[in-house]
Amino acid sequence: MPTPQRLPFPYRPEAEIVAHRLSALGGALEWAAAAKVATPWVQAVRQNPPPFWAMESLLKEYPISSAEGLALMRLAEALLRVPDAETAIALTADQLGRADFEAAGDKTMARLSSTAIAMSKKFLPDSEAPTGLLAKLGARSVVAATLRAVQLLGRQFVLGQTMADAMSEASSAKRKTPGLRYSYDMLGEGARTDADALKYLGSYQRAIQSIATHADATGACELNDGISIKLSALHPRYEDGQRARVMAELVPRVWGLCEQAAKANINLTIDAEEVDRLELSLDVLEVLVAQVAQHFPRWTGFGVAMQTYQTRSLELVEHVAALARQYKVRLMCRLVKGAYWDAEIKRAQEMGLPAYPVFTHKHHTDVSYLACAKVLLDAPDAIYPQFATHNAATIAAILQMGAKSGAPFELQRLHGMGEGIYREVLKNPLIACRIYAPVGAHKDLLAYLVRRLLENGANSSFVHQLADESVGMQELLISPLRLEPESSLPLPLDLFGASRKNSAGLDLTVPTMRAPLLAAYQSVQVPLVPVFDANLIYGPLETSLSSYKTWSKTAVTERAAILRRAADELQNQLPKFCALLVKEAFKTWGDAVSEVREAIDFMRYYAGEAERIMAPLAMPGPTGESNELRLIARGPWVCISPWNFPLAIFMGQVAAALATGNTVMAKPAEQTPGVALEAVKLLHAAGVPEGALQLLHGPGDTVGAALVAAPGVAGVVFTGSTQVAKIINRALAAKDGAIVPLIAETGGINAMLVDSTALPEQVSDAVMQSAFRSAGQRCSALRLLCLHDTIADHVIEMIQGAATELACGDASSLATDVGPVIDAEAFDGIQKNLQRLNNESKHLLAPVLPAQAAINKEANLMPPQAFEVKAIADLKQEIFGPVLHIVRWTGDPQAVIEQINALGYGLTIGIQTRIDSRAQALARASHVGNVYINRNQIGAVVGVQPFGGEGLSGTGPKAGGPHYLYRFCTEQTITVNTTAAGGNAALLAG
């Protein structure tokens, strides 16, 4: 069972938390005195800046906010991992073509590098350069020069590519600055496979061995160098939903490193990671602290990093101090401001959380840092504080508080950053400093470090402002000890401003937020829904026609108000509907929450859209007449929804028709009528007349066919297979009377194109989500992965390992990643296709053994499947399940897009590349409805990513978009001859 929540609720009002932090800080700090101490440091750095490649100087020459700075950083992030020359040339041309280095600074290195890069642009493709061999040689030379520049940048931020190199560099630095200490870190991207995790484990083990050879085995542990480890690097599923695995598999790995470090008397620090892993990290930490207390009670080198931009940081620091006292050990605690701010903000917005788990004002994070520092300094019996910061004012404040407390502590900085400030600070020999030093191959580390660099180079950061001499001393060293009453960003629920309220979601890693879902699952029963007799279709049709006469005359504002009431009530009943989705549709909890939120968003969005588009529009014309264009409802609509989104798509179709004044006869999928029945009840309770919305459950070939064929039906909206959509289209075309519109959204052979600039870990994550989430049962799911041949082996290996780590099982378990497919018929259909693929293609995942296959068939569990196929054209049909096809490509990526287009489908495509111009060109060439660049390709958000395809993937218009409701309406123009009643009075008056 998951452990109880140890820290406060993470999504609380920011102002309340900061007020508490200011109160906790009390009178412990005199800011004016701290600023006075910091002033000469800043002046010295500005008068005598560090070498060109140091952060402060680099930002001065090439600010991150400039095209030049961004081009260099993006090249540093991607160029070293590109194995083929053609793509390297394209990447270099794309990035340098956006910049102008000729106006760079006046330092020798800046002049040389700027001149070389500026000249080199003349030899790059797509410029006015000569073509042929000379241009090609010139471009290759430019890439070589740019690679060298990136490698120099890598040397600035990576201490050494091997531990031997890093320790040699550290020894040299220690001779220049006695008393320096180091914490070595083989950081980078977290492990996606167990093989990667074991590789990282081996790197950590070897690093500890190397550090131990230079450590004092009997002296104070804090005087020795140490190592920093990342838990996500040691287990591919270090996440809350996999708590049991983490405790059983990750903890022993970390404890092995702790034993090794303890025996060598060196320090080992667990790095901080994302907010959703915090509670889990405390479980891991407590087990390890208990073992340290038992086996190495005199070892004082075990430590943890804590991020003060988190709103729970003070309680975290207090908890860790209490833990150390409980087990009678002393812990090393590294205090940092935080490194995932953008990601945390985006996650909270996407999930519709009540507030942000991090501070939105930079100075609020500074307040939090100082309040946490006070707690650490006040606990010398339990904590050895380590203050990691590059902010001169923060350093001065720490020194002031440290002097008052008398507690021992050290300062820390990142290798390659803060050199100028620390050069001045460390002129005091009594101040201890440790350098956090990344170690490893530049191509492995720069992608990660550049993201940190971009964050630290943001306009609000001290490092950036230090380099900008236009920022005055008073502004640079302004006191952070002040409270902003409002968040600097709209709260997640206010993301869409006045237009509509964002649906509220849940963070399943927070026990108090998931508890209502689990309780609802125990109590909710899926209702039985009677099957409608298709022979009685004329009764509902007459009811719908009759209700249309009054519902269509209801003011659009009233119809919109009813939908908003229904949305609010669905929000209130979110746990109940999530439980229904898990029970009837076998949704995982995360998918269930997302689906209920999507249904809420559809109702609110279409309510607002109906009010917008159905307002009469005055048209220009000659005097003496008025012309008005208006939209009016069509009549009764048939809404046929699928089982894979039995609430969201059902509610979206119905809400669109109702908002525009139409009446609805809704036929849900045969497998999921219970969810639809509860949705209809909710709409009726909100004020939709029963005659305006009727539920007709039954087989598609009887009830569905009867509805489509019925006379008087004004339109059909359908989501499902391409085959059924064609049947409906033919049936409508064969009917006498009016031409009936069809809105169809069908499936697709959705592709993802990956070139050699893409980050493999990002690709792996996107593939796991796009191909296997929801058991691959999404219209938008990834079916065809096109990998550039030079990186295919590595990416396939990563995908194989990551897919193996996915948990396939009962949808109601929080640990499940891949739940059952919808029914036995779906399972058998997928199994038949797998038999064909086994004969035709290379199976990339381990085959399921017969005994397990029997269990899977009983539960309709289909584990992730992947096959390598020879050509894109080999894919003839969509397999609606967790089945991925992989094909290699070389040459022109445009040719790959043409082959994808030739398949005839057109729903979604993913493009993974760091070449911006290529991404845009490929997007323009793709005949699809939704293009996703450098992310997964599922989970379109209502009003943000309107969803729908073309060709075999549907008719359009796009659901959840500004053009969707028009198809549910007809246009009517009313012209009035005003001269017949006396002319234009306004004109006469003029």
Side-chain angles (χ1 to χ4, degrees):
M1 288 292 292
T3 58
Q5 195 168 321
R6 299 161 185 258
L7 299 177
F9 187 64
Y11 307 109
R12 296 167 292 157
E14 181 172 348
E16 290 181 16
I17 298 168
V18 176
H20 175 262
R21 300 297 184 263
L22 288 168
S23 174
L25 194 56
L29 174 63
E30 185 184 345
W31 185 261
K36 186 176 181 180
V37 170
T39 297
W41 298 341
V42 173
Q43 290 171 334
V45 172
R46 287 182 168 179
Q47 291 166 4
N48 183 22
F52 170 74
W53 285 106
M55 169 63 86
E56 294 90 337
S57 299
L58 184 67
L59 288 174
K60 184 175 181 180
E61 299 292 349
Y62 303 126
I64 299 300
S65 57
S66 71
E68 293 74 28
L70 192 57
L72 280 178
M73 292 304 104
R74 297 193 67 178
L75 281 168
E77 197 269 347
L79 187 57
L80 292 178
R81 65 171 177 265
V82 178
D84 60 300
E86 293 298 325
T87 306
I89 290 170
L91 174 65
T92 307
D94 178 74
Q95 291 302 319
L96 297 187
R98 301 165 185 273
D100 181 7
F101 287 87
E102 295 180 12
D106 59 357
K107 300 298 178 189
T108 302
M109 185 116 184
R111 286 202 306 271
L112 290 174
S113 59
S114 299
T115 303
I117 294 172
M119 289 177 61
S120 71
K121 285 166 59 177
K122 299 175 183 176
F123 298 98
L124 290 168
D126 302 322
S127 68
E128 298 177 358
T131 57
L133 181 62
L134 178 62
K136 185 72 71 175
L137 288 174
R140 290 176 183 270
S141 298
V142 169
V143 171
T146 309
L147 272 170
R148 178 60 180 156
V150 169
Q151 288 165 346
L152 287 171
L153 186 64
R155 286 185 61 186
Q156 172 61 18
F157 300 108
V158 178
L159 185 63
Q161 299 203 63
T162 66
M163 274 300 296
D165 291 342
M167 294 182 72
S168 175
E169 290 289 331
S171 296
S172 176
K174 288 177 182 179
R175 285 193 292 271
K176 296 176 185 175
T177 311
L180 271 186
R181 309 157 189 176
Y182 279 79
S183 184
Y184 300 99
D185 183 16
M186 290 57 135
L187 53 69
E189 310 300 332
R192 267 55 176 187
T193 71
D194 200 49
D196 283 343
L198 293 174
K199 181 184 74 173
Y200 278 119
L201 178 63
S203 296
Y204 287 143
Q205 290 169 337
R206 291 187 294 274
I208 293 174
Q209 290 173 354
S210 298
I211 300 166
T213 61
H214 294 82
D216 182 347
T218 59
C221 186
E222 60 266 23
L223 300 180
N224 286 329
D225 290 345
I227 189 170
S228 296
I229 66 171
K230 189 174 181 177
L231 295 185
S232 62
L234 292 169
H235 197 281
R237 300 304 308 276
Y238 173 54
E239 54 196 77
D240 183 81
Q242 305 299 320
R243 183 178 297 265
R245 283 191 63 190
V246 167
M247 302 309 290
E249 300 167 11
L250 171 64
V251 170
R253 293 177 183 179
V254 182
W255 175 243
L257 297 175
C258 290
E259 282 187 305
Q260 194 181 353
K263 290 174 182 177
N265 195 40
I266 67 173
N267 45 82
L268 180 148
T269 298
I270 295 175
D271 269 332
E273 299 190 57
E274 295 87 347
V275 166
D276 60 310
R277 290 167 161 162
L278 182 57
E279 290 278 352
L280 178 60
S281 74
L282 293 182
D283 286 349
V284 173
L285 181 66
E286 181 160 358
V287 172
L288 295 171
V289 168
Q291 293 195 49
V292 168
Q294 179 182 351
H295 298 289
F296 302 101
R298 306 183 77 170
W299 180 45
T300 58
F302 185 48
V304 62
M306 295 174 285
Q307 300 163 321
T308 65
Y309 71 1
Q310 291 198 27
T311 56
R312 297 182 289 177
S313 53
L314 186 65
E315 293 84 0
L316 171 63
V317 170
E318 291 170 341
H319 175 80
V320 171
L323 193 65
R325 291 189 177 110
Q326 177 187 344
Y327 287 97
K328 298 181 173 58
V329 299
R330 194 186 71 170
L331 300 176
M332 301 179 82
C333 289
R334 174 190 295 145
L335 201 64
V336 301
K337 292 186 179 176
Y340 302 93
W341 188 84
D342 286 356
E344 299 292 3
I345 293 295
K346 184 178 181 183
R347 177 176 178 270
Q349 291 176 342
E350 288 179 335
M351 294 177 68
L353 299 177
Y356 295 108
V358 294
F359 297 111
T360 65
H361 292 278
K362 175 69 170 63
H363 70 274
H364 284 177
T365 293
D366 293 340
V367 170
S368 176
Y369 190 96
L370 296 169
C372 291
K374 180 179 182 298
V375 173
L376 293 178
L377 289 167
D378 288 345
D381 59 316
I383 301 294
Y384 176 73
Q386 301 167 298
F387 299 110
T389 178
H390 306 109
N391 186 314
T394 303
I395 294 170
I398 294 295
L399 294 178
Q400 182 189 127
M401 290 195 294
K404 288 181 181 178
S405 74
F409 67 91
E410 69 182 29
L411 299 174
Q412 291 193 358
R413 71 172 177 86
L414 178 64
H415 170 68
M417 290 180 60
E419 291 183 18
I421 288 295
Y422 275 90
R423 179 191 66 204
E424 302 303 316
V425 171
L426 296 182
K427 288 178 179 178
N428 180 347
L430 299 179
I431 297 175
C433 178
R434 189 181 304 273
I435 295 177
Y436 183 93
V439 179
H442 293 166
K443 70 180 180 67
D444 296 329
L445 295 191
L446 275 182
Y448 178 85
L449 288 171
V450 163
R451 289 200 287 278
R452 304 289 78 79
L453 170 65
L454 289 170
E455 180 166 299
N456 284 288
N459 289 336
S460 62
S461 92
F462 179 88
V463 174
H464 179 92
Q465 294 179 336
L466 176 64
D468 185 356
E469 294 185 9
S470 68
V471 178
M473 196 67 67
Q474 186 174 2
E475 180 183 353
L476 185 65
L477 301 178
I478 188 172
S479 171
L481 306 180
R482 61 190 192 279
L483 172 63
E484 300 291 342
E486 301 293 336
S487 167
S488 71
L489 300 168
L491 291 176
L493 298 184
D494 300 325
L495 185 62
F496 303 115
S499 63
R500 65 184 166 102
K501 193 177 180 182
N502 191 12
S503 56
L506 300 173
D507 184 346
L508 293 173
T509 71
V510 179
T512 54
M513 296 188 85
R514 66 180 179 238
L517 301 182
L518 304 180
Y521 186 80
Q522 297 301 319
S523 61
V524 165
Q525 298 295 323
V526 178
L528 293 175
V529 184
V531 175
F532 177 75
D533 184 349
N535 295 315
L536 305 177
I537 195 68
Y538 288 99
L541 182 61
E542 289 178 7
T543 299
S544 196
L545 286 165
S546 176
S547 184
Y548 168 70
K549 295 175 183 177
T550 54
W551 179 248
S552 62
K553 300 298 188 293
T554 302
V556 65
T557 52
E558 176 57 22
R559 298 196 301 260
I562 290 171
L563 287 178
R564 291 189 179 105
R565 283 200 298 272
D568 291 346
E569 185 54 32
L570 181 54
Q571 183 74 74
N572 294 335
Q573 296 187 38
L574 182 141
K576 168 189 169 180
F577 276 88
C578 285
L580 281 171
L581 288 166
V582 173
K583 285 193 170 185
E584 187 177 46
F586 312 115
K587 296 271 181 176
T588 59
W589 286 110
D591 283 349
V593 172
S594 295
E595 180 161 357
V596 176
R597 292 188 62 220
E598 185 177 1
I600 295 166
D601 287 335
F602 269 131
M603 286 190 282
R604 288 175 177 164
Y605 181 73
Y606 289 149
E609 283 295 292
E611 290 174 325
R612 177 181 68 86
I613 71 169
M614 302 196 84
L617 180 63
M619 307 298 289
T623 186
E625 71 179 32
S626 68
N627 295 279
E628 185 178 85
L629 177 66
R630 62 179 62 174
L631 297 177
I632 58 175
R634 289 180 178 272
W637 275 71
V638 172
C639 296
I640 304 175
S641 53
W643 49 260
N644 64 330
F645 284 92
L647 179 64
I649 292 179
F650 177 90
M651 198 67 94
Q653 293 177 348
V654 168
L658 292 174
T660 45
N662 301 283
T663 52
V664 174
M665 293 174 287
K667 196 207 86 64
E670 294 173 62
Q671 298 90 334
T672 53
V675 172
L677 177 62
E678 292 301 317
V680 168
K681 288 179 180 178
L682 184 143
L683 285 163
H684 286 162
V688 175
E690 292 190 7
L693 172 59
Q694 302 173 82
L695 185 73
L696 306 174
H697 165 49
D701 58 357
T702 56
V703 175
L707 283 168
V708 170
V713 168
V716 176
V717 55
F718 167 79
T719 299
S721 72
T722 303
Q723 179 184 4
V724 173
K726 288 182 175 181
I727 293 172
I728 294 172
N729 192 42
R730 287 193 291 268
L732 292 176
K735 288 173 67 171
D736 290 333
I739 297 171
V740 178
L742 168 65
I743 304 172
E745 190 265 286
T746 58
I749 300 180
N750 306 306
M752 179 184 291
L753 186 148
V754 181
D755 76 7
S756 59
T757 67
L759 182 68
E761 289 82 1
Q762 187 179 70
V763 173
S764 177
D765 291 347
V767 169
M768 291 304 105
Q769 295 161 10
S770 302
F772 304 133
R773 186 172 172 180
S774 309
Q777 299 172 123
R778 290 177 180 244
C779 304
S780 57
L782 172 63
R783 311 297 182 196
L784 171 64
L785 177 62
C786 305
L787 295 173
H788 193 273
D789 188 61
T790 59
I791 62 166
D793 288 341
H794 175 52
V795 174
I796 288 172
E797 184 180 356
M798 188 173 288
I799 288 170
Q800 288 172 312
T804 302
E805 297 296 329
L806 295 175
C808 186
D810 180 3
S812 67
S813 169
L814 289 166
T816 295
D817 301 299
V818 182
V821 295
I822 189 65
D823 56 21
E825 182 181 353
F827 183 93
D828 291 341
I830 297 169
Q831 192 65 45
K832 185 181 296 185
N833 277 291
L834 292 181
Q835 292 170 358
R836 172 182 58 81
L837 284 167
N838 275 318
N839 295 328
E840 299 174 356
S841 310
K842 180 181 179 182
H843 198 174
L844 297 174
L845 295 174
V848 178
L849 298 176
Q852 185 60 46
I855 296 172
N856 289 350
K857 182 174 176 60
E858 181 70 22
N860 294 324
L861 286 173
M862 179 63 63
Q865 306 288 324
F867 296 85
E868 185 171 344
V869 298
K870 294 179 180 178
I872 292 172
D874 291 347
L875 273 73
K876 305 299 184 184
Q877 65 182 41
E878 178 185 29
I879 301 175
F880 208 70
V883 182
L884 176 67
H885 307 77
I886 300 177
V887 67
R888 299 168 187 253
W889 66 274
T890 57
D892 185 2
Q894 289 279 355
V896 180
I897 295 296
E898 290 173 6
Q899 294 174 53
I900 294 169
N901 288 341
L903 295 174
Y905 291 89
L907 195 54
T908 73
I909 190 168
I911 298 171
Q912 296 273 346
T913 179
R914 292 298 193 265
I915 304 173
D916 296 336
S917 56
R918 170 177 287 181
Q920 294 299 322
L922 296 178
R924 289 192 297 270
S926 299
H927 295 165
V928 300
N930 290 68
V931 180
Y932 298 96
I933 298 172
N934 293 329
R935 53 153 283 176
N936 67 45
Q937 59 196 76
I938 60 171
V941 177
V942 174
V944 179
Q945 295 132 355
F947 186 75
E950 60 177 86
L952 295 173
S953 294
T955 63
K958 294 166 81 65
H963 305 137
Y964 191 62
L965 294 190
Y966 288 108
R967 188 67 65 88
F968 289 85
C969 306
T970 59
E971 294 181 288
Q972 182 183 68
T973 302
I974 298 177
T975 299
V976 177
N977 178 13
T978 57
T979 60
N984 186 338
L987 181 64
L988 293 172

